């Protein structure tokens, strides 16, 4: 499963918003109305199932990412020379790949700190190194990263979640409140955004 057909479907769906809502309205509507239109019609399309479908090859997602950047530029009435990162920051949102990482990390946090809030199948999904090893290591409190041998394994949430979690600073991974964690994580990802 490459998710190419799903990404193509999303692309076609979002393409109509380029003409219908934004090109026709950007000279007539107030900036807050354009922002509302973006978050009503475009952004939810990107969020739906992003944990899974954004796990596909970047080449499949590329046209969707480019179109979303274009929609943000039109909605904010900015020139082509405007830095894309600034467009995301003005709308307090994240690029598609970063949204995917954010949602995966929120899932890992729930599994790690709130096992009662997740289905039983995920209760033993992630383990700290100190549970696996009896001896102390430098990363004893980080998540245990299992060895994978295939490209499919690299994209598995169990592996990717551990990899992303272990790359976060401890000041974020040590937060056990899910609400606080989400806020801090979004700020961290926004500050370290790259395209």
């Amino acid at each position: 499963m490459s998710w190419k057909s799903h990404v193509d479907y999303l692309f076609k769906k979002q393409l109509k918003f380029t003409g219908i809502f934004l090109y026709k309205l950007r000279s007539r509507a107030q900036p807050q109305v354009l922002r509302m239109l973006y978050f009503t019609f475009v952004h939810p399309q990107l969020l739906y199932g992003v944990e899974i479908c954004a796990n596909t090859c970047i080449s499949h997602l590329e046209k969707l990412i480019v179109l979303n950047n274009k929609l943000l530029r039109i909605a904010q009435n900015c020139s082509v020379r405007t830095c894309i990162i600034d467009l995301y920051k003005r709308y307090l949102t994240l690029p598609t790949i970063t949204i995917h990482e954010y949602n995966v990390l929120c899932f890992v946090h729930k599994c790690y700190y709130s096992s009662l809030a997740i289905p039983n199948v995920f209760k033993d999904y992630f383990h700290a190194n100190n549970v696996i090893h009896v001896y102390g290591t430098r990363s004893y409190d980080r998540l245990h990263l299992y060895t994978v041998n295939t490209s499919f394994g690299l994209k598995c949430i169990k592996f990717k979640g551990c990899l992303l979690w272990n790359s976060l600073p401890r000041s974020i991974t040590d937060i056990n409140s899910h609400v606080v964690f989400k806020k801090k994580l979004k700020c961290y990802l926004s500050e370290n955004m790259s395209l």
Side-chain angles (χ1 to χ4, degrees):
M1 286 175 59
S2 68
W3 292 98
K4 186 178 184 306
S5 57
H6 178 72
V7 171
D8 289 344
Y9 169 76
L10 275 179
F11 177 80
K12 287 173 187 169
K13 205 167 181 184
Q14 289 198 1
L15 194 59
K16 68 180 181 182
F17 295 120
T18 309
I20 295 173
F21 290 102
L22 302 176
Y23 271 130
K24 291 180 180 178
L25 292 175
R26 77 171 171 178
S27 58
R28 299 183 185 126
Q30 296 290 322
Q32 60 267 27
V33 173
L34 292 171
R35 187 180 194 280
M36 184 185 68
L37 287 171
Y38 175 81
F39 280 103
T40 303
F41 294 106
V42 178
H43 197 63
Q45 307 273 337
L46 294 173
L47 289 180
Y48 183 73
V50 73
E51 302 90 347
I52 300 164
C53 67
N55 215 7
T56 188
C57 301
I58 191 71
S59 58
H60 295 304
L61 286 173
E62 190 65 37
K63 65 181 182 179
L64 191 62
I65 293 166
V66 170
L67 180 62
N68 189 53
N69 294 345
K70 183 177 182 180
L71 288 167
L72 279 170
R73 192 173 282 120
I74 295 166
Q76 296 178 43
N77 210 1
C78 294
S79 73
V80 182
R81 296 179 186 213
T82 308
C83 178
I84 294 169
I85 292 174
D86 292 341
L87 298 174
Y88 283 99
K89 286 185 176 180
R90 278 186 210 147
Y91 270 20
L92 302 174
T93 188
L94 301 167
T96 308
I97 300 296
T98 313
I99 290 173
H100 164 72
E101 293 173 355
Y102 171 81
N103 284 4
V104 168
L105 285 164
C106 287
F107 171 70
V108 174
H109 186 272
K110 272 189 181 176
C111 291
Y112 198 67
Y113 286 107
S114 310
S115 58
L116 296 175
I118 57 167
N120 285 336
V121 72
F122 298 118
K123 290 210 186 289
D124 292 324
Y125 221 55
F126 303 102
H127 299 285
N129 280 325
N130 58 8
V131 173
I132 305 293
H133 303 297
V134 290
Y135 50 87
T137 62
R138 277 182 298 172
S139 56
Y140 76 98
D141 59 341
R142 304 309 258 170
L143 293 182
H144 181 70
L145 199 59
Y146 294 93
T147 305
V148 294
N149 299 319
T150 63
S151 59
F152 178 78
L154 292 171
K155 292 182 179 184
C156 176
I157 297 293
K158 192 170 187 175
F159 178 82
K160 196 171 191 178
C162 290
L163 198 65
L164 290 169
W165 182 269
N166 291 345
S167 70
L168 290 176
R170 283 183 170 82
S171 59
I172 294 176
T173 58
D174 288 347
I175 299 169
N176 54 10
S177 163
H178 195 63
V179 176
V180 177
F181 173 79
K182 285 169 76 173
K183 285 180 185 172
K184 296 277 188 186
L185 177 62
K186 190 168 184 180
C187 288
Y188 174 79
L189 292 175
S190 182
E191 286 168 10
N192 295 283
M193 200 186 305
S194 61
L195 297 170

